[in-house]
Each structure stands twice: as structure tokens, then as C-alpha cells.
């Protein structure tokens, strides 16, 4: 089997790529390879034109039915009806285009991250070239501050550290080496002799040979995964699609039946019956539903934005409410992505970082600051995260570092390297011997220690003391702390050449420092609340198993009994998809994972029918964010790539904000459910009214009547239902998941009986208008009055009924009939808009209505009051008999 790049020696890689470590490639060879491999760029996402996006919006079956209805209405002279239908369809399409255009940003954001230039050796000369001109075989020079311009096999390193958190999830920069590695399947974070495109050099310098460019890099692989990721349909989209399909089929069947009955059983022209069928179709289609859902979601996004949750895609608002699994990246999401001193060990005692410093602690703090390359720029600490944490520890203690650096200036140093795992600095001290400070790995440093500082005295290092130090080091390491040891030595006369052999021995051990990327303080509470809401939180990270496990326990994701709930990427590779899908619920923590692992985890839960949210901030998170039902990116620490692939961005990077958003999502779903109950019961009442009128041979309501009721009288109250206050205890319920629909939890039965009741009451009023006419001597006017009464009744009944739909089972007095001010204004506005069709001169002819006298108005209002009364009685019986709440 062919060896991988990290398993090969640098000489083997150079030879395979026909390059030269000192001279690089020739200009002619570069041009040939550019032709062969192409530019070192990430390909842009495949994009559709605005026209294509617009046309795609009309592929929905229900939209098709409306378009056909508009064409027929226009052909038969009903121009107003046709215009209103087309306005609804076009506005819905424009919104769809706007949302789709935002979905192509992730891969283009990857492209923006690329390094602009690179220092390359060509024909023996060092030159700066555009990064997109690099080819495999180019030799690259790097130093602190550079962006790695392509995937590299490192061939020379000098204290080189590269920060790869955005790609691997590792919270601290990786110490890089040039030697080959022998393991078979190393995760990205452990391939220490490779450099990855778009990662950042934080320390030291190095030389590497390009082994991959453009789409052949690790970042390119992620871009390809993003391009091919199958974005799952949200529960909201699924529900609306299924509802639309069912309604469309039902509409077509009813329209055909009515047309057939009219042609066969009545002496009507085909044009009249076609208009009747269109009226039925218009009555059955909830034209305002797309707008109502959109507005309800948009209002939800506004409320979420005030809580720092920024929604990029509207359906994601509702999806949050059905979330059952949250897969969270560790670094920067559950933790602060900032190394922090948590414990220190001096005088054979372990202290918390908040404890006061004794004499030995003061000396330890001095060495932390002196043996440190951190720079302060505009009051910000810049440098290796481990070293900046040590300076911040001094800052938190209120120590005067300017005075310390002035009194003990650095005059020489031996930089850190990965072999000896130590760093040494030499400081001049007035009227005293030179001070030598050493920091590094505890096991390595202790091998060079002769004495230990205990209570201000230098005591000989015994085996017992050494064992105690090593035991403390082990205990802190098992708590996921990164441990460094510190020592000093005083020398009057420094050697001519500073070497490790001359100064890094006979040291005096001072203490240990335990650091960690700490969890965010609010996260543990948020995870506990999510658990109460029936939501399982997963930690999915590129960090080491022990670190991930320790942080998970501190956050409450794991408890001590869940020893088998942690799995690494390497172990995951050994499981087939079938086996993993069966066992996925056993794991809560995934460590040392690659981007494809994250996607696999999301898909495994989705294969079980679960609604999955994935959080993250790095490039490596983007494919999983796009694959998940809802992708949540970090707004502060998140890369533009992760934001582009996400559905929601946390402006405060606060995990607890997700739980607030879940609460809002659940509220949005119940409010949309109320609106759908209101709309579909109204539409059922309309269809029943028109169907019975047709069978009875009565004059029927015109399409303009139905459209006006559907778009005005129905729409405003339905929108206002979208801002109803949340119901108590909403976060104590189990997630709805995928199986729950808008018609669940008693909504379907409510729609049926309430729709029938609306139809019966409207037909009853029409019957009264026909049989007890005000204009008894004018049959045409009597029929016009009866149709007007039916039209107004249908509208008013729905306005009265809107109060009852505030809850499926609870009384309007319990939920508060007038508690929602927006709802009250919506009812008033809809009533006024209904009234102007009757009262405003000139509109009567347009809407085919006549003025009504007070007897007729009293009949109409009585039907509306009767509607509320009957529904509330039914709800009372349901509560008493079936214990509904």
C-alpha cells in the first residue's frame, strides 16, 4: 500500500515531486505544472441566475393551480380576480428568490480566506508570488504571522507552531516537525509534519514543499463536501409541502366533481360552471398561508435577534423548535477558545488560580512573565495562546510587569524546540547573579532539576518529592489541564556560547501551572435546560479524547458512569455505517474527528428520523453545518465559511442563546399551527358553502368574494396569531421531532368540525336571506342581498372564530381574549376592510354586493356570536371529558 505524505521522508517527497529543497522549481516547470494542475484556488459554488431562481419558485403544484385559475379568470373577463391571484403568486416567488440567493455563500467564503501571497524559492531565488500561482513541488518559506498558502509537507522547522483550530478544532497551536511519522491512520491534528492551506503560523519559522493546491487541499476537500452536501428539508418545509400536496389533490377533485355535477345535472353553460369550479379552487387554496408563515417566521427572527440569535434562513426558526439533537463543537462554542490558568502548584501544595500568591507563588509568577514571548499591542496580548495565558495570570493578580521587565531585562535565550521540550531565557539582575528561567514539559524539566523551592528554601530534590510532583502533574492532566513546569538557576558568569548542556541543568524547581481552554460559564445551565426539554447535547471536537471527556463531564454532557460514551474518529472509522447507525445513541462525545466524521454523525442521527442541530465556528464544521437540519455558527469567533454554511449565527457566541432560540422556535411552531387551524377551518367552511350552494342550484359567491375574505379577513388575524405569547411550560415538553405535523395535537379534528360549523352557519344565513327577504318584490335584489349576507357572514364568522383558535382546548378567557394587542388591531382592521366593501360607494359593483338593513346585520352578527359560543362549549366538553388542557 502506498505510503501517505506524512509517512514519507522529506527526501522521498522532494524526489517524487521532482523538486529541490534549496533551489525549488524552474520557471518553465512552474508554467507546465500550472497548466497540468490549475490555479491554487477554491472553485466557486455553482450558481443559478436570478431568473432561474425565480422560475424555480413556480414548480410547486399549488402555485400551478393558482396560475391556471388566474388564466381562466382573465379569459372569462374576471380581470380583478386574476390580478389578485397573480399578486399573491409573484410576491411569494420574490421572497423565495431572496432566500435562495443567501444559500450560496459558504464556498465563496472559503475562497476569501486564501493567503494573498507566499514566499517561494524558484531557481534558487526567494520571491513573493501570488498564492494562486503556486504548484505542487514549490518550496515555501514561512514565519510567524504568515498564512499557509497550500497543503505542505514540512521539510525544515525551527520552533514552528501553526494554529489549525478552524480546520481541526484543536484549541492551541500545533508544534510542527519535519520528521516522517509511522502511524497508519493519523487524524489531521496529529499529522505534525504537514501544513494546511489557510492555517496560521503563530511562532517560529519553517520550510515546506507544496503537495496539494486548490481543490486537492484539505480546504478544497471541505469545499467539495459543501458543494455536494445534501441539505435536508426542514420539518416546516416538509409539513407545508405535504399539506400543499394534500390540499391541491383535494381541490382538483372537488373542482372536477362540481363542474361535472353542474354540466350534467343543471342547465348551466360551461363558462359559468368553469367560474364556479375556479371559485371552489380559490376557496380551498389558503392563498395567504405562504405570506402568513413567512411573516410569522420573520417576526420570530426579529425577537431572536434581540437575544443575539441571527437567523439566515427563515424556516430554521421553526426547525429549532423541533430539534432533538444538538451536536456542538467544543473549541470556541462550549469553551472560550482562550487558554486560562486554572491551578498552580508551589510548596508541595495545589492552589486555584484565584488564590493569593505566597512567596513561592510570587517567584513562579515572575518566571511565567520573564520566560515569555508575548507582545502587548493596543492593550491586547498577542502571541502563543499558552504564553498569553501566563501574562494574563499576572495581569489578573495586578502585578507590575513593566517594572519586572525593566529590573530583569532579557539578554539571551534558547528557543523552545519539540525535541527537548524546553524554553530558556537569561536575565540580567542588578547587583546579583544572572537569572536563568526554564519552562517546559514536567517530565523533561524534572530530569534537569537538582533542588526544589519549598517555603523560600532550596531543598534537595528527593525521589519522594519528585513522585509527588509527577503525581500532581498526572492528576491535573486527567482533568484536561495542560501542565507546564517552571524552574530557575543563578549564574554569575555566563558561558561564551549559550547551549542547553551548559545552562539547562542543576535547576531549582519552583512549581507547576495547569491551564485549560475553560468552558463558558453559562453553558452547563443551558445544557441542563436542553436536557429538561428532551434535547440531547453531543460534543464533537477535533481535540484529544481526555480533554474532550473532562470538559464534557464539567458541562454535564457526561457523568462518571458513561465511560463508553466517548469515541474517537479512528474508532469511528472502524464501524460500518450500518453498525454506527445502530449504536449512535450510545455516544455523547466524539474526539479527534475529521470533517467527514461530523457529517457522518449528523446523518446517522437523521437516519433515525431525528431533527439535528449542529453548532461550530471553524472551516472544518461547515459541511456538517450545511448537512444538519439547522446549522448554527458562531458570530464572533466563527469563520465566514461556517457562517455561510449555517442557518443561524450566534452574535454573542453563547451556547445558552441556542436554548433561548429553541424556546422561540417552539413558540413559532404553535403559533403557525394556530394560524393554519384558523385558515383551513375557514377554507373548509368556504368550500362547504360553495359546494352545497352548487348542489342546491343557488347563486354562489364569486371568486372576488372568496379572495377578499382569504387575503384580508383571514390574513390579518392569522398573522396576529403568529405573535401570540408563548404557552406556559413549553420547554418542559418533549421535542416534536419529524413525525409531528401542523395537524397534530387535536388540530385536524378542530379544523373539520369548526369548518363544517362555519359552512352550516353561512348557509343558514343565506337561507334566511332568501326565505325572509327585505326586498320581497324584487327577486334579483333579494338574491343579491342573500349573497351579500353570506359574504359578510363568512367574513365575520372567521373574525369571531379567530378568538377561539388562540388555543385548541383552552378557553379564550384562560388564554386572554384581548391580551395580544396586535391581534386586537388586526381584527379591527379586517372588520373595517370587510365593511368598506358594503359601505363605501362605488365598491358595491366591484364586489357584487348590496347595502344591508339593520335586521340583516343583526342576523349576520348573531351567526358570528353563535360560532364562538358553540366552539367554546365543545372545548369545555373536551376538557371535562378527555382531560385536555
Amino acid at each position: 500500500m502506498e505510503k501517505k505524505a506524512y509517512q514519507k521522508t522529506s527526501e522521498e517527497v522532494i524526489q517524487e515531486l521532482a523538486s529541490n529543497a534549496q533551489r525549488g522549481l524552474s520557471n518553465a516547470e512552474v508554467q507546465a505544472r500550472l497548466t497540468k494542475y490549475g490555479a491554487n484556488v477554491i472553485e466557486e459554488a455553482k450558481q443559478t441566475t436570478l431568473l432561474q431562481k425565480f422560475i424555480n419558485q413556480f414548480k410547486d403544484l399549488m402555485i400551478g393551480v393558482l396560475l391556471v385559475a388566474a388564466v381562466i379568470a382573465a379569459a372569462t373577463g374576471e380581470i380583478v380576480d386574476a390580478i389578485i391571484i397573480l399578486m399573491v403568486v409573484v410576491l411569494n416567488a420574490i421572497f423565495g428568490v431572496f432566500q435562495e440567493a443567501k444559500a450560496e455563500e459558504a464556498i465563496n467564503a472559503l475562497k476569501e480566506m486564501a493567503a494573498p501571497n507566499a514566499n517561494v524559492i524558484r531557481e534558487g531565488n526567494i520571491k513573493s508570488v501570488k498564492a494562486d500561482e503556486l504548484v505542487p513541488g514549490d518550496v515555501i518559506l514561512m514565519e510567524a504571522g504568515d498564512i499557509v498558502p497550500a497543503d505542505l509537507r514540512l521539510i525544515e522547522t525551527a520552533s514552528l507552531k501553526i494554529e489549525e483550530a478552524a480546520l481541526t478544532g484543536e484549541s492551541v497551536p500545533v508544534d510542527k516537525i519535519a520528521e516522517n511519522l509511522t502511524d497508519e491512520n493519523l487524524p489531521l491534528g496529529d499529522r505534525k509534519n504537514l501544513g494546511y492551506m489557510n492555517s496560521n503560523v503563530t511562532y517560529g519559522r519553517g520550510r515546506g514543499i507544496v503537495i496539494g493546491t486548490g481543490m486537492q487541499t484539505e480546504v478544497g476537500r471541505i469545499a467539495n463536501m459543501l458543494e455536494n452536501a445534501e441539505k435536508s428539508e426542514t420539518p416546516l418545509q416538509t409539513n407545508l409541502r405535504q399539506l400543499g400536496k394534500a390540499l391541491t389533490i383535494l381541490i382538483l377533485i372537488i373542482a372536477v366533481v362540481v363542474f361535472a355535477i353542474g354540466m350534467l345535472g343543471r342547465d348551466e353553460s360551461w363558462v359559468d360552471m368553469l367560474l364556479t369550479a375556479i371559485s371552489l379552487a380559490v376557496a380551498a387554496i389558503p392563498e395567504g398561508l405562504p405570506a402568513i408563515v413567512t411573516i410569522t417566521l420573520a417576526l420570530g427572527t426579529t425577537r431572536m435577534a434581540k437575544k443575539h440569535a441571527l437567523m439566515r434562513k427563515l424556516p430554521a426558526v421553526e426547525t429549532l423548535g423541533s430539534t432533538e439533537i444538538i451536536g456542538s463543537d467544543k473549541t470556541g462554542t462550549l469553551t472560550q477558545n482562550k487558554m486560562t490558568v486554572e491551578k498552580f502548584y508551589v510548596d508541595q501544595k495545589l492552589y486555584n488560580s484565584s488564590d493569593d500568591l505566597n512567596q513561592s507563588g510570587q517567584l513562579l509568577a515572575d518566571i511565567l512573565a520573564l520566560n515569555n514571548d508575548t507582545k502587548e499591542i493596543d492593550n491586547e496580548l498577542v502571541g502563543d495562546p499558552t504564553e498569553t495565558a501566563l501574562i494574563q495570570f499576572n495581569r489578573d493578580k495586578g502585578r507590575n510587569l513593566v517594572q519586572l521587565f525593566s529590573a530583569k531585562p532579557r539578554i539571551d535565550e534558547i528557543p523552545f524546540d519539540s525535541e527537548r521540550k524546553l524554553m530558556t531565557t537569561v536575565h540580567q539582575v542588578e547587583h546579583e547573579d544572572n537569572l536563568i528561567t526554564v519552562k517546559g514539559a514536567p517530565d523533561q524539566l524534572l530530569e534537569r532539576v537538582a533542588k526544589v523551592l519549598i517555603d523560600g528554601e532550596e531543598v534537595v530534590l528527593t525521589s519522594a518529592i519528585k513522585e509527588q510532583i509527577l503525581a500532581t502533574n498526572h492528576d491535573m492532566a486527567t482533568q484536561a489541564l495542560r501542565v507546564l513546569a517552571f524552574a530557575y538557576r543563578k549564574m554569575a558568569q555566563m558561558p561564551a556560547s549559550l547551549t542547553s548542556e551548559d545552562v539547562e541543568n542543576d535547576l531549582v524547581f519552583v512549581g507547576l501551572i495547569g491551564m485549560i481552554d475553560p468552558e463558558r460559564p453559562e453553558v452547563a445551565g443551558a445544557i441542563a435546560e436542553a436536557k429538561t426539554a428532551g434535547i440531547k447535547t453531543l460534543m464533537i471536537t477535533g481535540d484529544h479524547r481526555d480533554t474532550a471527556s473532562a470538559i464534557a463531564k464539567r458541562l454535564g454532557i457526561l457523568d462518571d458512569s458513561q465511560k463508553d460514551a466517548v469515541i474517537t474518529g479512528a474508532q469511528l472509522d472502524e464501524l460500518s455505517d450500518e453498525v454506527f447507525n445502530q449504536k449512535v445513541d450510545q455516544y455523547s462525545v466524539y474526539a479527534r474527528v475529521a470533517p467527514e466524521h461530523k457529517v457522518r454523525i449528523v446523518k446517522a442521527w437523521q437516519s433515525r428520523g431525528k431533527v439535528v442541530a449542529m453548532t461550530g465556528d471553524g472551516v472544518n464544521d461547515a459541511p456538517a453545518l450545511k448537512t444538519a437540519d439547522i446549522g448554527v455558527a458562531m458570530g464572533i469567533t466563527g469563520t465566514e465559511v461556517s457562517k455561510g454554511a449555517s442557518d443561524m449565527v450566534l452574535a454573542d457566541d453563547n451556547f445558552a442563546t441556542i436554548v433561548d432560540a429553541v424556546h422561540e422556535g417552539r413558540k413559532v411552531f404553535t403559533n403557525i399551527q394556530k394560524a393554519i387551524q384558523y385558515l383551513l377551518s375557514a377554507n373548509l367552511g368556504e368550500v362547504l358553502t360553495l359546494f352545497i350552494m352548487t348542489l342546491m342550484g343557488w347563486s354562489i359567491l364569486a371568486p372576488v368574494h372568496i379572495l377578499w375574505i382569504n387575503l384580508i379577513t383571514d390574513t390579518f388575524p392569522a398573522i396576529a396569531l403568529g405573535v401570540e405569547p408563548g404557552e406556559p411550560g413549553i420547554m418542559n415538553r418533549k421535542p416534536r421531532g419529524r413525525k409531528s405535523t401542523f395537524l397534530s395535537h387535536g388540530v385536524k379534528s378542530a379544523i373539520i368540525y369548526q369548518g363544517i360549523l362555519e359552512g352550516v352557519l353561512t348557509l343558514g344565513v343565506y337561507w334566511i336571506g332568501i326565505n325572509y327577504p327585505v326586498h320581497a318584490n324584487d327577486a334579483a335584489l333579494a338574491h343579491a342581498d342573500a349573497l351579500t349576507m353570506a359574504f359578510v357572514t363568512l367574513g365575520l364568522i372567521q373574525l369571531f372564530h379567530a378568538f377561539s383558535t388562540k388555543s385548541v382546548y383552552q378557553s379564550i378567557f384562560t388564554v386572554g381574549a384581548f391580551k395580544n394587542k396586535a391581534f386586537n388591531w388586526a381584527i379591527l382592521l379586517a372588520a373595517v376592510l370587510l365593511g368598506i366593501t358594503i359601505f363605501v360607494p362605488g365598491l358595491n359593483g366591484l364586489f357584487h354586493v348590496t347595502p344591508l338593513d339593520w335586521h340583516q346585520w343583526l342576523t349576520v352578527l348573531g351567526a358570528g356570536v353563535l360560532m364562538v359560543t358553540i366552539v367554546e362549549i365543545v372545548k369545555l366538553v373536551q376538557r371535562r371529558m378527555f382531560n385536555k388542557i
Side-chain angles (χ1 to χ4, degrees):
M1 192 170 84
E2 185 182 353
K3 290 195 291 186
K4 296 171 182 173
Y6 60 82
Q7 294 175 310
K8 299 172 184 175
T9 65
S10 56
E11 291 79 11
E12 287 175 324
V13 176
I14 293 168
Q15 186 176 356
E16 282 184 14
L17 291 169
S19 187
N20 184 292
Q22 305 305 318
R23 293 191 55 79
L25 299 174
S26 67
N27 291 331
E29 184 61 28
V30 168
Q31 291 304 315
R33 295 189 185 194
L34 264 177
T35 303
K36 179 179 179 181
Y37 296 106
N40 179 33
V41 295
I42 302 301
E43 296 174 4
E44 291 189 3
K46 294 178 184 175
Q47 298 187 3
T48 53
T49 65
L50 281 177
L51 179 60
Q52 288 172 318
K53 291 184 176 75
F54 187 74
I55 293 172
N56 288 338
Q57 306 305 314
F58 295 91
K59 293 180 179 178
D60 181 80
L61 190 58
M62 190 183 292
I63 296 296
V65 172
L66 279 175
L67 286 174
V68 171
V71 170
I72 295 174
T76 54
E78 300 293 338
I79 303 299
V80 174
D81 295 4
I83 290 173
I84 293 176
I85 294 171
L86 286 174
M87 282 176 57
V88 173
V89 172
V90 172
L91 286 172
N92 189 56
I94 290 172
F95 176 77
V97 169
F98 175 74
Q99 284 300 308
E100 190 178 330
K102 295 180 71 65
E104 296 173 340
E105 298 172 2
I107 297 173
N108 296 334
L110 264 177
K111 189 176 180 181
E112 294 299 319
M113 288 181 64
N117 294 292
N119 292 320
V120 61
I121 300 175
R122 286 181 181 168
E123 297 187 334
N125 299 314
I126 300 175
K127 56 174 69 176
S128 178
V129 302
K130 291 182 178 179
D132 59 10
E133 297 175 2
L134 295 179
V135 296
D138 264 329
V139 177
I140 307 297
L141 300 178
M142 297 172 294
E143 59 183 19
D146 287 348
I147 298 174
V148 179
D151 279 9
L152 310 174
R153 169 64 166 87
L154 300 172
I155 56 178
E156 182 184 306
T157 62
S159 304
L160 181 65
K161 294 186 180 183
I162 300 180
E163 190 267 312
E164 300 171 342
L167 190 65
T168 66
E170 185 109 32
S171 55
V172 295
V174 179
D175 295 317
K176 293 296 184 177
I177 60 175
E179 292 76 21
N180 63 307
L181 304 167
T182 57
D183 288 4
E184 282 287 327
N185 295 304
L186 286 176
L188 291 181
D190 290 337
R191 300 174 189 177
K192 296 188 176 182
N193 55 12
L194 300 185
Y196 302 114
M197 186 182 193
N198 295 351
S199 55
N200 300 291
V201 180
T202 61
Y203 192 83
R205 55 186 175 80
R207 182 183 301 225
I209 185 167
V210 175
I211 57 173
T213 59
M215 298 302 287
Q216 301 307 310
T217 62
E218 287 297 327
V219 171
R221 286 178 58 248
I222 291 174
N224 190 53
M225 291 169 66
L226 280 170
E227 180 74 13
N228 297 309
E230 298 176 8
K231 185 62 184 176
S232 56
E233 192 175 52
T234 69
L236 174 68
Q237 291 166 327
T238 302
N239 277 328
L240 289 177
R241 178 177 53 77
Q242 292 172 343
L243 182 62
K245 185 177 180 181
L247 284 175
T248 301
I249 294 171
L250 187 63
I251 289 162
L252 293 174
I253 292 172
I254 292 174
V256 170
V257 169
V258 167
F259 183 80
I261 290 173
M263 293 301 295
L264 296 174
R266 295 175 54 184
D267 187 19
E268 299 281 354
S269 70
W270 72 269
V271 173
D272 289 338
M273 288 315 304
L274 196 58
L275 284 174
T276 300
I278 290 173
S279 296
L280 267 171
V282 171
I285 295 175
E287 293 90 351
L289 182 57
I292 289 163
V293 171
T294 298
I295 292 169
T296 303
L297 293 173
L299 292 171
T301 65
T302 303
R303 291 191 295 270
M304 286 181 175
K306 293 178 181 178
K307 298 180 179 180
H308 309 292
L310 310 177
M311 307 307 300
R312 295 186 66 254
K313 299 168 187 175
L314 283 186
V317 179
E318 184 276 332
T319 307
L320 275 166
S322 56
T323 298
E324 298 165 278
I325 306 293
I326 299 178
S328 177
D329 181 45
K330 178 183 75 68
T331 305
T333 307
L334 299 175
T335 64
Q336 299 175 27
N337 197 20
K338 184 174 73 173
M339 292 300 288
T340 304
V341 174
E342 184 161 286
K343 295 184 181 295
F344 65 94
Y345 172 84
V346 292
D347 297 337
Q348 297 182 292
K349 296 176 185 175
L350 189 63
Y351 297 90
N352 292 319
S353 60
S354 57
D355 293 338
D356 293 333
L357 300 176
N358 58 16
Q359 184 180 352
S360 297
Q362 296 275 356
L363 178 57
L364 176 63
D366 283 351
I367 298 174
L368 302 185
L370 294 171
N371 195 303
N372 202 305
D373 289 328
T374 298
K375 300 289 187 294
E376 186 173 325
I377 301 175
D378 297 330
N379 205 36
E380 290 288 325
L381 299 179
V382 179
D384 182 273
T386 299
E387 294 196 331
T388 58
L390 302 178
I391 296 296
Q392 188 61 49
F393 176 74
N394 273 278
R395 276 183 166 188
D396 294 341
K397 296 299 182 184
R399 307 188 77 245
N400 190 335
L401 296 184
V402 174
Q403 182 178 339
L404 174 67
F405 296 147
S406 175
K408 299 176 181 179
R410 186 189 298 189
I411 58 176
D412 210 342
E413 65 183 75
I414 305 175
F416 174 89
D417 70 54
S418 56
E419 288 187 12
R420 71 184 215 289
K421 297 183 179 178
L422 299 173
M423 174 179 172
T424 294
T425 59
V426 181
H427 301 266
Q428 188 178 55
V429 183
E430 191 174 359
H431 308 307
E432 292 184 26
D433 293 340
N434 293 311
L435 175 65
I436 298 169
T437 71
V438 183
K439 77 174 176 202
D443 55 342
Q444 295 292 323
L445 186 139
L446 284 172
E447 294 300 319
R448 302 163 186 256
V449 166
K451 296 181 180 179
V452 181
L453 187 70
I454 300 177
D455 297 327
E457 297 290 330
E458 294 182 0
V459 179
V460 174
L461 176 67
T462 64
S463 58
I465 295 175
K466 183 177 181 179
E467 287 300 319
Q468 184 190 27
I469 295 171
L470 289 173
T472 304
N473 171 46
H474 176 74
D475 289 343
M476 285 198 283
T478 57
Q479 298 173 46
L481 298 179
R482 188 181 188 198
V483 185
L484 287 177
F486 297 83
Y488 72 89
R489 178 183 178 182
K490 293 183 178 180
M491 293 183 71
Q493 190 66 37
M494 298 302 299
S497 176
L498 194 67
T499 64
S500 174
E501 291 74 16
D502 290 333
V503 297
E504 290 178 346
N505 50 60
D506 293 327
L507 302 176
V508 180
F509 175 85
V510 179
L512 302 172
I513 285 287
M515 291 172 289
I516 197 169
D517 176 13
E519 67 273 20
R520 292 178 176 274
E522 68 283 342
V523 168
I527 289 173
E529 187 176 354
K531 189 179 291 186
T532 301
I535 301 169
K536 181 181 178 71
T537 303
L538 310 175
M539 179 190 288
I540 307 173
T541 177
D543 220 331
H544 292 279
R545 181 190 183 108
D546 291 344
T547 304
S549 179
I551 292 291
K553 287 179 181 177
R554 291 164 65 143
L555 290 172
I557 295 174
L558 288 180
D559 57 44
D560 292 332
S561 65
Q562 294 177 292
K563 294 180 180 179
D564 297 327
V566 184
I567 185 173
T568 65
Q571 292 171 319
L572 187 53
D573 285 333
E574 295 174 1
L575 301 178
S576 66
D577 286 341
E578 184 179 358
V579 172
F580 178 52
N581 290 352
Q582 292 173 352
K583 301 176 68 174
V584 67
D585 58 346
Q586 298 178 18
Y587 307 116
S588 298
V589 176
Y590 298 83
R592 226 64 184 138
V593 294
E596 56 268 26
H597 291 137
K598 297 185 179 186
V599 173
R600 194 177 169 199
I601 294 162
V602 171
K603 287 185 174 180
W605 279 108
Q606 288 175 333
S607 72
R608 290 192 161 208
K610 300 294 185 181
V611 178
V612 183
M614 173 68 185
T615 74
D617 61 352
V619 175
N620 61 324
D621 298 318
L625 292 178
K626 190 171 181 180
T627 303
D629 296 286
I630 175 165
V632 184
M634 302 297 112
I636 299 173
T637 60
T639 60
E640 290 304 312
V641 183
S642 62
K643 294 174 189 175
S646 68
D647 303 291
M648 180 174 90
V649 176
L650 300 183
D652 58 357
D653 283 15
N654 188 339
F655 185 88
T657 302
I658 299 172
V659 180
D660 290 336
V662 168
H663 179 275
E664 187 63 40
R666 291 187 175 189
K667 185 170 76 173
V668 164
F669 176 84
T670 57
N671 286 347
I672 291 177
Q673 198 174 38
K674 293 170 187 175
I676 286 176
Q677 178 192 342
Y678 172 64
L679 286 175
L680 294 190
S681 59
N683 284 25
L684 179 59
E686 294 164 10
V687 169
L688 187 64
T689 299
L690 293 177
F691 190 66
I692 298 298
M693 280 181 162
T694 303
L695 291 179
M696 298 294 292
W698 295 344
S699 298
I700 68 165
L701 295 169
V704 70
H705 292 146
I706 303 301
L707 276 170
W708 190 254
I709 290 172
N710 283 0
L711 296 179
I712 304 301
T713 314
D714 286 1
T715 301
F716 290 118
I719 291 172
L721 286 170
V723 292
E724 280 290 299
E727 297 177 25
I730 199 168
M731 287 298 284
N732 294 327
R733 304 173 187 171
K734 290 183 178 180
R736 296 189 321 278
R738 292 190 185 280
K739 294 182 180 178
S740 176
T741 71
F742 288 124
L743 304 182
S744 303
H745 313 298
V747 173
K748 184 192 290 184
S749 59
I751 288 171
I752 293 171
Y753 89 79
Q754 289 165 13
I756 292 173
L757 181 59
E758 284 192 27
V760 168
L761 289 172
T762 303
L763 290 167
V765 169
Y766 180 83
W767 183 85
I768 291 171
I770 287 291
N771 288 278
Y772 302 96
V774 172
H775 303 95
N777 298 324
D778 189 334
L781 189 56
H783 272 90
D785 284 351
L787 272 178
T788 301
M789 290 174 68
F791 165 60
V792 177
T793 300
L794 205 51
L796 278 183
I797 276 180
Q798 290 171 17
L799 296 185
F800 279 96
H801 180 46
F803 287 94
S804 295
T805 55
K806 288 191 170 199
S807 175
V808 177
Y809 296 114
Q810 290 185 354
S811 164
I812 56 174
F813 302 108
T814 302
V815 297
F818 302 102
K819 192 175 181 180
N820 182 352
K821 291 182 179 179
F823 179 84
N824 300 337
W825 283 108
I827 293 293
L828 181 60
L829 176 61
V832 169
L833 289 172
L834 179 65
I836 65 171
T837 63
I838 310 296
F839 296 113
V840 176
L843 291 181
N844 302 59
L846 184 64
F847 282 91
H848 316 300
V849 294
T850 58
L852 303 177
D853 71 0
W854 70 272
H855 294 96
Q856 293 168 322
W857 277 111
L858 197 62
T859 304
V860 167
L861 289 171
V865 172
L866 196 58
M867 178 74 194
V868 177
T869 305
I870 294 173
V871 171
E872 288 302 311
I873 291 172
V874 171
K875 285 158 67 173
L876 176 63
V877 172
Q878 288 176 323
R879 290 195 299 273
R880 295 284 175 85
M881 292 184 64
F882 307 112
N883 195 30
K884 298 292 185 181
I885 57 170

